[in-house]
Structures are given as C-alpha cells and as structure tokens.
Amino acid sequence: METVKVIINGKEVEAPKGKLLLEVCFDAGFPIPNFCYYKDLPPQAACRMCLVRIEKMGRLQTACTMRVSEGMVVTTESEEIRRARMAMVDFILANHPLDCPVCDKGGECELQWMAMNYGDLLARFDEQKDATGEYPLSPFIWLDPQRCILCYRCIRVCDEWVENHALGVRGRGAHSVIVGNRPDGTLACEHCGNCVEVCPVGALTSTNFRFRARPWDIRDTVTTCTYCSDGCQLRLSVRDGRVVRAWAKDLTKMDAEFANKVLFSFRTAPETRHNWINEEFLCLKGRYGNEFVNSPDRLRVPLLRRNGRLEPATWEEALKYVAQRILEIKRTYGPESIACIGSPRLTNEDLYVLAKFGRQVLETPHVTHAMDVDWRPFFKRLTVPLLTQPELREQMPTILLIGGNPPEYNPLTAYSLRAAVHRHGARLYIVSARPIGRLQVATRFFHIRPGSEPAVWLALLDEGEVERAAEATLLTREELYELRRFVWEADRLALLVGREVTGPALEAAAVLGGMLQAKGERIVRVLPLLRFNNSLGALDMGLVAEMLVPEQVGPQIKALYLMGCDLVRFYGDAWRQALARAELVVAHELFLTRTAELAHVVLPAMSFAELDGTFTNNAGQVQRIRRALGVAGDWRPDWMIIDQIAAKMGADLGCRHSAANIFREIAETIPGYQGITYARLNEEGAIQTERPLMPLEVIDRARLLERLRAQVEAIDHTAERLQEPAPLGIGLFEPGTLTEHVPLLRQAFGWDVRESVEVSR
Amino acid sequence: MRVLDVVKAIAQGLATTFRHLPDRVTTQYPDEPVRLERRFRGQHILHVDENGREKCVACFLCAIACPADAIYIEAAEDLRPYPERIGVDIRYARVYDIDYGKCIFCGFCEEACPKDAITMGPNFELAWYTREDMIKHKEDLLITRQRVSPHLEIAP
C-alpha cells in the first residue's frame, strides 16, 4: 500500500495514502473531538468539531473529510483551534436542553464530554430554546428532537449497516428533525436499535433502557448472544440483579480518556481491544431480546409430578426420583429405551455432559438434539474450511448466497455482506426463491422456482446439467452459465448456504469448494446458515443420532431426558401424545413450556446470563459466555444437574464442579477443539475450531450427482415464482421460546402468548 | 519557675470551668424542645415545587454521591401533562429509599442534587426497632408527608 508522510503537531507520521486525517491523527495519539464521524460510515462533516489547521490551506479544515497526502503539515491544537471548537460547542448547545439529569445518556454522553473539555464556561446564546417533548418513533426507540445535534450518524447507520433506509431528516436548518419512514414520522423497520447505539447524545433512546439505570451504576459483562448461529458478542448491562440493556459499542475507537476514565470509571477494567466478530452490530433480538432472564415466569424450584400434578419439590427429592426411575427403566426395558434430547441453544459444556451421560451412564444410542435441518451430511463431507464473519467482510471479493434470508435469520451475516460490498466492492450474487429485502447491495439476483435450490447446485457442479437445471429453476441457460462463470472463475469465493438447501444438495455445497480448489490456486470458504446459537456445537459434542419420531415413544422409548428442548413447540402436537405415553419425562427448562407441562420432573436450569460456558457459531468459532447475573432462584447449570443425577446413579462424569473443567475435557476429546482453553478464549475472543476436511478423492462424486439429479427430478416443476418478498420481520418478529418472555417484544408485536399455567403451590 | 506556670495554667482552666458552672446546658428532652442550628443535618426531606409536584427527577446522582450507598432509586415514566403528573418532569422516582442504618448524614446527596429536591432536614429522632423500619421510603421522606418533630426548635 502506498504510504505518505505527514507531520502532525511536529511529529512525523507515516500513513496509507487517502486515509482520513482524523483517523491518522487518532492512531498517532492526537485524538480530535468529533460527533458526526463514525468508523466505516461515509464522512458527513456536519458537526464541524474536528477543525484542524493544515498548512497552505486558507481556512480551518474538517479532519473527518480530509484525506492525507504527501507532505501535509497539520496542527491539531492551538489557540485558534481551541476558540473554533469552543464556538462550535456553543453553537451545538444553542438549542440543546440542560436536562442531563433526566437524559439516559447522561454520564456516557459525548456532548457532555466535549462541553466539559472544549466548551466555554458560559453560553453566549441567550435566546429561548425551541423546546419539544420526547416521543416514541417505534415501540423500541424514542426520539427527543431537542437533544439531537444533527450528526446524521443514525441515518447513515440505518442505510449502510442494516439497509432499512428508515430514518431521514425533515425540515431545514435549525428546524431539522430526524423522522421515521412512515407518513406519521414513526419507524417501519426491523428495530435493530443500532441508531440508538451510535447516537452521541440522548436524542435516540431505547424503550427498555429508558430511565432504568444510569451508566455508572451498571455492571457490564461481555458474553455471546443466545439467538442465531452467527454468535455476536455483546455486553450485558446489569443493574440490581436485572439485565437492563445489551450493547456492543466499540469503546477503543473513542477518545481513550473518555472511554477509559468516564465510561469505565465505575465499572470494570478498560477495554483495550474490540476484536468482536460483529464489530458493533446487534440485531433486534440481540439488543432487545435478553430480558427473558428477568422474567417472573422463570422456574425457580424443581417440580415433581405427584398425583398427576406438578408440585414444587426439593432438589434432593427431584434428583433422587430421576436417578431411581432411570435405573428402574433401564433395568426393566434395557438401555435402548431411554433417549436423551438436547437443545442447540445450550452451551457446549452442557451438551458434552449430556452426551457423555447418555453414552456412558445410560448406555443408550439415542443421544441427539432438536434439529430443524439435518446438517450432518454437510459437515461430514466438508472439503473447505468454514468462513468467519471478519473474512467475509474484508477478504472475499466474490460472494454467492444460495437460499436463506440473512437479514431475518442471520442478521450479522447480512451486515457482513453489506460491509463487504461497501468496503471493497465485493460482488454479491444471490440465488433465492423469494426476493430478499434489505440486501439491495447485491450485484445480481437470480429468482428461482421455490424449492429448486438443488438444481442450482447441480448446475454449479456439472456443466452438462445446465439444461435440466434451467428447466427446474426457471432461470435461463445464460443466467446459469453466468453463475457458473462467477463461481468457477473466482479467486476468492465465499459460498453461503441457506436452510432451504437440504439432503444431497447440502452435500454438493460441501463438496463444491473442494472441487473449485482442486482446479487451481484459489481460496473457497463456505458458511452454512445454521439456525441456533449452538447448532454446530451440538453436532460437535456428539448429539448426532437420528432424531426420534413420536411413534417410537411408547413401544421402544420409555424414558425421555430432555434438556432445554421444547419438543411440542418445535415438532408439533404429535409429541403431546408421545410424551403422555412415556413412562418418564425429565425436562430441564427455564420456563414451564408446553413440553415441560407434560413432564414428570421439571428441573429449573440457568439461562445464558447466569452461566459460564462456550458456544460454537456457524463458522466453527468457539466463544465464551460469561456469568452476568447473580442467582435469583434455586436453579442450577444443566451440566451440574446431570452430574448430580449421575452421582446418585453411582457414576462419575468428571465434571469436577466447574464448566472450565468440562471444557478442558472437551479440548482433549473433541476433534478440532484441541488447545482451546478459557484463558485463550478470554484473551483472543473467538477461536475457530479446525474441522476435519474430507479429501475429494474419497467422495463418490458420480453417486452424489446421481442423488442430486434424483432430488432435482423430485422438484415440483409446476410451482410459480414467488413475487412477493418475505415480509419484514418474518424471522425477527416471530415469537420463540425465549423471546415470548420478553415483555417489550410481546407488547411491540402484539404476540398472543399463551399464559403460563398456574403451578399448584 | 515551671511549677508556678503549671499551677497558673490549671487555675486559669478551672476558672473557665467554674465560670460556666451556673449555665444550664442540659435540655430536658423530650419535655423541652431541642434547639438546633439551621445547618443541622438530620433526616432527609424530599421537596415538591409550588404546585405540589415532586422535584426529584430520579437522576441517581445522590445515589452515586452517597459514600455509604444508602440511597436506592428506581426511576419511572409519567407521560401525563404537568398538572396531573407526580413529578416536575416526566421522569420521577417510583422508589426512593434511604437506609438510615447506613446513612452517615454527610450531606453529599444534598450537594449532588441538581434540582434541589433533597435536603437534610432537622428531624433527628431516628431510632427504630427493626432494620426494615430503618429503610425510609419516598412516602416517609416527602415534605408533604414528613412531620417536623415537636421536640425540636430551629435557631433563628
């Protein structure tokens, strides 16, 4: 990269040519005050706080729009600049209310910091301020236009990060107001709240955090999101034993003194690195969906079925009962009569202990987890490494997405796709049965017949099949050839595989990368868009047996050990009768779910905010979750419950009372996890596991093509294209087992959630 | 002569003592009111404005200024118009507790308050039988609710 020499305050600095002067100054240790500049967003030059003197230029220049060039001589501190900044602060404060005591931002407000450091003691404007009240823009976001300093960060974030284009400005000059995209000025968007996070003042505030805490009396814990498989990192802020917000702001990009002294003076150690895979992005669920942990509906004591009713019991009673009944059933019907079903939401530690319990103590082959799509053939035949989000954003000039709807189901992936296009002009091709909203940055969009994704894979794998594929997908032959060229001529290719891709097509997705790499020097990475936060971890931990069908329960399966797995909700009402047929149903749950209601024993488990552990995201990256909350109920970690039951059955699972010890064992036994420790995870953030790759020669490609062809034949060739894009919120606004216990989401989307059943006391 | 100096000093000291002997210092509390200076720091008072709206906006500054961590606040929102609402602002303290088992009467809360909503009052009779009773709520502290003890008088 071409570099230039610039002199900043007499210090010679080398910087890449064309980099923003403000960034160069920041890196050189001369932070420049600013409001409207934000990393990765197009420069705006709205606030004029970053004025600097550049030699041979007539006026003071804005550092946030100036790009460095050879021989630039810059002064960032002088009497002239001090006075200019003072005037700018005065100007910004002209209509800013003095309501810091009631403003949510007070204490972490960039304007407060600027006014204290660069402002004058007294304001020179004595005109009446233009007072307006606060009002909600959406159920999640409030606006106080008087506090707004018109830096346009929110608008740019909405356009660039999430492509909602939901915010704009109405009016001119001093009367400019930020408005939403509905005619009445409210917001029709996915309510991700990223605009709230980047707001330098308290103009945009979150409904859930409003008035609940001040920045100095909350404690932050960095943890991993518990929703989709992308695995965003977030800080959970806790006040008084309750989660009050989740946020992901990059504090290292702020003025170090502000970030460390002000934002962290009341909290933990200052953050020196922000190597999060999601940078600063969070989606609706990640930001507003964590308050289920505060829910009063949480199970707090073990429940035991006595005389047909679930009644509170002590742990001792419950554990003893479970151990005794399992032993009885094992003795009477044999070990195959017991099934362990985990949930892809639990930590690796919990799932590992469950698998070990099932195999070693129960000796049953039925150790599995609730899967929506069977990804096992994909990971078995994987020929290229998995794609991480930073790689997707920074290193992949050609990206192909087949199936899936990332903005709804994998919002971070959607963010990374947009970032790849914005940052280095990546070419993004999308093949989908439905137009995807909020991915308009795509270079090409191939609209195929619903369910015909396998035909696209067939055409990509074998040129001779283009004709057949064209017929199945409703694409023209030229379009399919274009897709083939795109894939086969790319140097660095990212393949994103959506959940519509199933069966042999999934295997094809796993194999194609290897075939491309075998053809020449190139790098191919593949990203499966799994559904749950630990879907991949559950596979890794060995919960891989075939999922049971409800008919098996009764004749074959007598006992079900369910860990956080709501079968009735997930697989439908057929499981109601199945559970009634079982002789023993044990459920670990946070809430009394439809499945737990039918269980014989319900054991209250801990949520992700109360646990230590790890999740493995869809790129195979292991990330920590950390305990943010104290104990508010008589609940225990899932692994501990199993360990105690095993102890009652006379077995030792070797948990040794801590998740760290279990993870040590995971690192020793599970392939790919070698060398990963909690200490390393704390240090490095996300660590990608090494997946065993299948050599291309081993794979019977002719047979695979044959099966793929059969799959293509089975496609309904009469189906028409779906013209309507999937509605906004098809994934994000749907109630789930956890989100339906978040009051804010329930109110906002009017979910008609079944009332929890009264437990007899 | 050092002995003489010592005797002189003792005599001087005792002279002051004897001079004040006739003064009546003991107050016959509770039969007679205790006389307090204006700056006396007793039980807190939460103030209201001229229309009876609570002045506190629940900014939590007193809570963080408190060296004994005796103040606990929960803020809430009241979007009604001014004449109907509880506080001067839409933000008000739904819960305002002071734990007199912890409070050290330093007055920092009073100094931190940006709205002059909390001051140290004259009430000094702060003894109760249980720890729960030592935690006083907003309802006990508001100037409209709190009675000034009949056992005190404030110096002019």
Side-chain angles (χ1 to χ4, degrees):
Chain A
M1 197 190 289
E2 199 184 340
T3 60
V4 291
K5 282 202 175 70
V6 288
I7 296 169
I8 302 170
N9 294 345
K11 182 180 164 191
E12 198 176 278
V13 177
E14 206 161 313
K17 190 179 177 182
K19 198 173 176 182
L20 288 177
L21 179 57
L22 188 135
E23 290 168 358
V24 175
C25 291
F26 185 90
D27 294 342
F30 303 108
I32 295 174
N34 64 77
F35 292 111
C36 69
Y37 164 79
Y38 210 75
K39 189 180 70 113
D40 291 338
L41 295 180
Q44 184 82 26
C47 70
R48 306 198 77 78
M49 265 307 280
C50 61
L51 293 172
V52 292
R53 167 62 67 190
I54 302 171
E55 258 178 41
K56 294 177 189 154
M57 288 196 184
R59 286 173 284 174
L60 294 179
Q61 300 291 324
T62 49
C64 72
T65 49
M66 185 58 61
R67 306 206 173 258
V68 288
S69 55
E70 185 65 43
M72 214 177 232
V73 182
V74 185
T75 315
T76 66
E77 302 287 339
S78 73
E79 181 57 23
E80 177 197 25
I81 293 167
R82 196 186 66 81
R83 291 183 63 86
R85 285 174 183 163
M86 202 180 269
M88 281 327 299
V89 171
D90 203 9
F91 192 54
I92 289 167
L93 289 176
N95 195 36
H96 194 86
L98 277 174
D99 64 352
C100 298
V102 296
C103 175
D104 268 328
K105 204 77 175 184
E108 56 180 7
C109 173
E110 290 175 47
L111 181 57
Q112 271 183 335
W113 176 248
M114 299 287 173
M116 293 296 283
N117 281 276
Y118 304 100
D120 207 346
L121 197 60
L122 297 170
R124 279 181 287 176
F125 286 95
D126 56 0
E127 282 77 11
Q128 184 72 35
K129 296 197 182 201
D130 186 11
T132 48
E134 290 174 82
Y135 48 84
L137 284 183
S138 88
F140 300 89
I141 297 160
W142 281 64
L143 173 68
D144 185 339
Q146 202 190 350
R147 290 184 194 145
C148 178
I149 59 166
L150 292 172
C151 66
Y152 306 98
R153 276 189 193 175
C154 49
I155 298 174
R156 285 176 286 157
V157 159
C158 199
D159 291 351
E160 297 258 322
W161 288 12
V162 281
E163 265 191 64
N164 272 316
H165 305 289
L167 287 163
V169 178
R170 184 172 61 202
R172 291 182 65 78
H175 302 289
S176 306
V177 181
I178 302 286
V179 287
N181 51 353
R182 283 220 180 98
D184 62 350
T186 57
L187 283 169
C189 66
E190 62 176 83
H191 311 296
C192 64
N194 284 305
C195 47
V196 177
E197 184 137 313
V198 295
C199 184
V201 293
L204 291 168
T205 47
S206 285
T207 310
N208 68 334
F209 186 59
R210 264 168 75 79
F211 301 173
R212 280 179 72 183
R214 303 310 300 257
W216 54 76
D217 65 357
I218 52 183
R219 196 166 41 89
D220 287 326
T221 310
V222 177
T223 186
T224 307
C225 178
T226 185
Y227 287 105
C228 83
S229 62
D230 285 338
C232 293
Q233 299 289 289
L234 49 85
R235 290 188 205 92
L236 279 185
S237 296
V238 174
R239 183 200 183 217
D240 206 32
R242 294 173 75 80
V243 170
V244 290
R245 71 167 169 186
W247 60 309
K249 200 165 183 119
D250 182 353
L251 299 170
T252 60
K253 286 286 168 207
M254 303 175 88
D255 185 336
E257 209 187 338
F258 178 53
N260 295 343
K261 278 200 183 154
V262 180
L263 296 188
F264 276 95
S265 53
F266 296 97
R267 298 188 213 153
T268 44
E271 237 163 72
T272 51
R273 263 178 318 173
H274 190 89
N275 50 355
W276 296 4
I277 60 162
N278 53 319
E279 297 183 336
E280 301 181 72
F281 173 84
L282 285 181
C283 72
L284 168 80
K285 287 182 182 173
R287 193 180 303 279
Y288 298 119
N290 296 310
E291 283 178 44
F292 67 89
V293 298
N294 303 337
S295 171
D297 297 341
R298 287 276 301 273
L299 292 170
R300 270 153 224 277
V301 287
L303 302 175
L304 198 56
R305 193 168 290 280
R306 292 188 184 113
N307 310 323
R309 294 175 72 187
L310 281 174
E311 286 174 11
T314 63
W315 273 103
E316 189 58 30
E317 283 170 341
L319 295 176
K320 214 166 156 185
Y321 177 81
V322 174
Q324 206 181 334
R325 290 288 292 140
I326 288 179
L327 280 177
E328 278 169 24
I329 289 168
K330 191 177 164 192
R331 215 175 303 126
T332 327
Y333 303 102
E336 289 84 22
S337 63
I338 309 173
C340 296
I341 306 178
S343 155
R345 288 213 184 280
L346 301 173
T347 64
N348 285 327
E349 287 75 3
D350 295 337
L351 295 167
Y352 177 81
V353 172
L354 178 69
K356 195 172 174 186
F357 177 67
R359 300 237 165 74
Q360 294 186 4
V361 182
L362 305 179
E363 296 161 315
T364 170
H366 305 294
V367 179
T368 185
H369 70 283
M371 292 177 258
D372 59 329
V373 172
D374 191 356
W375 288 91
R376 289 173 301 170
F378 177 86
F379 288 104
K380 205 169 152 198
R381 290 199 170 58
L382 200 61
T383 52
V384 286
L386 296 175
L387 172 76
T388 65
Q389 299 288 340
E391 277 176 347
L392 176 58
R393 283 194 295 269
E394 308 294 346
Q395 299 172 10
M396 292 295 169
T398 40
I399 303 163
L400 174 63
L401 166 69
I402 299 188
N405 189 349
E408 294 288 345
Y409 297 102
N410 296 72
L412 174 61
T413 304
Y415 164 75
S416 298
L417 289 173
R418 294 173 199 127
V421 175
H422 289 308
R423 290 183 198 172
H424 55 86
R427 287 189 305 151
L428 166 63
Y429 279 32
I430 297 178
V431 178
S432 172
R434 256 182 156 171
I436 298 180
R438 288 169 293 145
L439 268 182
Q440 302 300 320
V441 292
T443 321
R444 289 278 276 126
F445 176 74
F446 298 91
H447 198 169
I448 58 168
R449 196 199 293 276
S452 66
E453 283 86 359
V456 179
W457 288 106
L458 184 65
L460 288 176
L461 242 57
D462 187 356
E463 196 167 357
E465 301 288 350
V466 166
E467 193 69 45
R468 192 198 298 263
E471 217 170 281
T473 57
L474 290 174
L475 295 178
T476 62
R477 260 178 302 160
E478 288 68 37
E479 283 174 319
L480 283 168
Y481 277 119
E482 189 191 342
L483 254 183
R484 272 188 66 85
R485 272 200 308 282
F486 180 76
V487 168
W488 285 87
E489 288 168 13
D491 286 334
R492 305 178 72 93
L493 177 71
L495 285 172
L496 277 65
V497 188
R499 270 188 292 142
E500 287 84 348
V501 183
T502 51
L506 256 187
E507 293 175 42
V511 172
L512 178 66
M515 287 168 62
L516 291 168
Q517 278 190 341
K519 198 178 153 254
E521 275 293 303
R522 66 180 80 198
I523 291 168
V524 183
R525 296 282 182 274
V526 58
L527 181 67
L529 299 176
L530 304 165
R531 174 115 178 241
F532 297 109
N533 54 339
N534 206 20
S535 287
L536 185 47
L539 291 172
D540 285 346
M541 293 306 128
L543 304 173
V544 289
E546 207 59 50
M547 181 60 205
L548 302 177
V549 285
E551 290 70 41
Q552 276 174 284
V553 181
Q556 291 171 40
I557 305 290
K558 305 288 181 192
L560 283 164
Y561 198 99
L562 308 174
M563 202 157 93
C565 165
D566 189 351
L567 290 172
V568 176
R569 184 189 188 103
F570 205 77
Y571 290 110
D573 276 344
W575 273 95
R576 272 184 202 279
Q577 289 85 46
L579 290 172
R581 285 196 298 274
E583 289 196 12
L584 175 69
V585 179
V586 184
H588 294 200
E589 270 302 347
L590 299 181
F591 300 99
L592 198 65
T593 58
R594 275 156 247 207
T595 309
E597 273 168 17
L598 301 167
H600 297 96
V601 188
V602 185
L603 302 168
M606 279 187 176
S607 75
F608 83 116
E610 288 133 8
L611 274 174
D612 279 313
T614 56
F615 287 151
T616 307
N617 72 359
N618 52 11
Q621 287 169 307
V622 183
Q623 299 186 104
R624 275 297 307 276
I625 60 164
R626 294 180 183 84
R627 183 180 161 159
L629 282 178
V631 178
D634 193 7
W635 45 56
R636 296 179 182 178
D638 293 290
W639 57 263
M640 191 186 277
I641 299 171
I642 297 187
D643 189 38
Q644 286 166 345
I645 290 171
K648 293 236 180 308
M649 294 169 70
D652 181 15
L653 288 174
C655 294
R656 286 173 291 149
H657 313 298
S658 98
N661 283 330
I662 302 168
F663 193 78
R664 210 166 291 145
E665 195 177 318
I666 291 174
E668 281 164 16
T669 50
I670 306 283
Y673 286 71
Q674 280 91 358
I676 304 179
T677 59
Y678 274 17
R680 261 189 77 200
L681 286 169
N682 292 343
E683 188 66 26
E684 296 168 39
I687 300 178
Q688 194 174 22
T689 52
E690 254 176 63
R691 280 192 184 256
L693 300 182
M694 191 171 256
L696 211 50
E697 305 78 56
V698 183
I699 299 166
D700 185 353
R701 267 181 284 165
R703 171 97 187 92
L704 172 62
L705 277 177
E706 207 173 291
R707 282 167 45 228
L708 195 54
R709 235 171 269 139
Q711 199 184 4
V712 172
E713 290 303 321
I715 295 171
D716 175 12
H717 277 55
T718 57
E720 285 298 314
R721 277 184 178 135
L722 300 170
Q723 296 299 344
E724 285 295 303
L728 176 73
I730 188 172
L732 286 169
F733 302 171
E734 283 303 303
T737 30
L738 301 179
T739 46
E740 72 178 21
H741 292 281
V742 180
L744 181 62
L745 295 175
R746 208 159 50 184
Q747 285 158 21
F749 302 127
W751 290 340
D752 180 25
V753 178
R754 202 180 56 111
E755 289 306 307
S756 60
V757 176
E758 194 65 30
V759 178
S760 51
R761 286 181 202 285
Chain B
M1 287 298 283
R2 296 194 47 198
V3 178
L4 275 179
D5 288 346
V6 171
V7 171
K8 196 176 149 202
I10 291 174
Q12 264 178 353
L14 282 176
T16 307
T17 308
F18 285 118
R19 197 162 58 241
H20 284 287
L21 261 187
D23 295 357
R24 227 191 76 192
V25 181
T26 308
T27 305
Q28 292 304 314
Y29 170 82
D31 301 330
E32 286 173 26
V34 179
R35 191 184 162 91
L36 300 174
E37 295 303 324
R38 296 188 80 93
R39 64 185 177 199
F40 180 81
R41 296 200 296 258
Q43 187 174 24
H44 304 77
I45 295 174
L46 292 178
H47 292 269
V48 296
D49 73 356
E50 60 277 17
N51 298 320
R53 307 279 95 80
E54 290 169 17
K55 278 184 167 182
C56 176
V57 295
C59 71
F60 297 27
L61 284 175
C62 48
I64 193 65
C66 181
D69 202 5
I71 304 179
Y72 175 80
I73 308 171
E74 273 179 30
E77 194 171 47
D78 185 358
L79 291 170
R80 290 174 295 178
Y82 175 80
E84 291 164 37
R85 67 182 175 226
I86 296 166
V88 292
D89 199 278
I90 59 166
R91 179 174 173 142
Y92 74 103
R94 190 168 62 79
V95 175
Y96 194 109
D97 293 350
I98 296 181
D99 184 349
Y100 283 101
K102 287 180 180 173
C103 178
I104 57 168
F105 302 96
C106 64
F108 282 10
C109 46
E110 186 178 358
E111 288 189 35
C113 185
K115 297 279 178 187
D116 292 338
I118 188 169
T119 58
M120 307 296 281
N123 281 347
F124 60 90
E125 289 153 320
L126 304 170
W128 295 279
Y129 287 102
T130 63
R131 286 180 189 279
E132 286 74 51
D133 285 348
M134 297 191 116
I135 299 172
K136 290 295 156 197
H137 310 292
K138 188 175 82 174
E139 291 70 31
D140 308 320
L141 298 171
L142 274 171
I143 192 164
T144 48
R145 302 287 193 87
Q146 205 178 130
R147 293 275 161 270
V148 176
S149 165
H151 304 138
L152 62 83
E153 62 179 23
I154 297 167

